[in-house]
Amino acid sequence: MLKHLALTSALALATTGTAMAGNLVEPVIVAPPAAIYVDPGRDWSGAYFGVNGDIGAFNIGGPPSTSYWGLGVHAGYLADMGDFVFGAEVSYEYTTVPSLAPPNNFNRIGGDLILGYDAGDFMPHVTVGAATLGPIGGTWYTGWSAGAGASVMVTDNIMLTGRYRYTRYNFGPGLNAHAGKLMLSYRF
């Protein structure tokens, strides 16, 4: 009898388990929050070089104006400081004045400081600098320049800039040059 009691007790214990009650509320599955992409914008920092063309007019002491055009090269460096961009640029232009008798070609060498606003792929900016023009009768003339323009980042490495530049040279009563400048630059 003890044998039957032990076997029956073992069988009863083996077939029973913990009682489980069903849940009346379905479980709520919460999806993880979606990642939010924040575009960091364009970083204007870095060196660049390129080619440029300009067209403009100048006068000596006042009207009338004489037109000119030029082709050149430039190089510079920009430092992006968040909202503002600071930079420096040097340029060389070979300028032709079609209405003058030969020699009607001059060289312009300039350097500009740049202050711009970082608006993503677009950067409006102002410039201030110094320039030299010559040779005119064997003499080089110095002057100061100021300008305003905008640059557009076409790709990570290509920058397109349009700029107005005023330059005042110390030639006679003062040579005033107004130029529109288009620049294509490679950034690295």
Side-chain angles (χ1 to χ4, degrees):
M1 173 156 161
L2 213 48
K3 200 181 208 187
H4 289 297
L5 181 62
L7 186 60
T8 307
S9 297
L11 193 55
L13 284 174
T15 58
T16 62
T18 308
M20 302 286 250
N23 190 353
L24 298 178
V25 179
E26 288 294 320
V28 177
I29 300 173
V30 178
I36 299 173
Y37 175 73
V38 177
D39 184 6
R42 194 69 78 155
D43 184 6
W44 289 86
S45 294
Y48 61 92
F49 70 93
V51 295
N52 52 274
D54 60 338
I55 187 166
F58 71 90
N59 60 50
I60 299 173
S65 292
T66 304
S67 63
Y68 70 92
W69 60 272
L71 297 173
V73 294
H74 62 273
Y77 184 83
L78 297 174
D80 193 334
M81 302 294 183
D83 286 341
F84 295 99
V85 179
F86 301 95
E89 181 178 281
V90 293
S91 62
Y92 166 80
E93 281 126 26
Y94 184 74
T95 303
T96 298
V97 183
S99 63
L100 293 181
N104 61 351
N105 298 314
F106 307 100
N107 299 294
R108 181 192 187 277
I109 302 169
D112 291 300
L113 297 177
I114 301 168
L115 172 61
Y117 177 73
D118 183 351
D121 288 344
F122 179 73
M123 181 185 66
H125 61 268
V126 294
T127 64
V128 64
T132 184
L133 179 70
I136 301 173
T139 305
W140 286 80
Y141 295 93
T142 59
W144 60 270
S145 66
S151 297
V152 176
M153 203 71 79
V154 179
T155 68
D156 286 340
N157 298 102
I158 304 295
M159 179 172 65
L160 184 63
T161 301
R163 185 181 298 158
Y164 163 78
R165 180 185 64 216
Y166 169 78
T167 308
R168 169 84 174 191
Y169 296 100
N170 65 351
F171 177 83
L175 188 148
N176 302 299
H178 303 269
K181 189 173 183 177
L182 187 61
M183 306 164 65
L184 182 63
S185 307
Y186 179 78
R187 297 168 24 90
F188 52 95

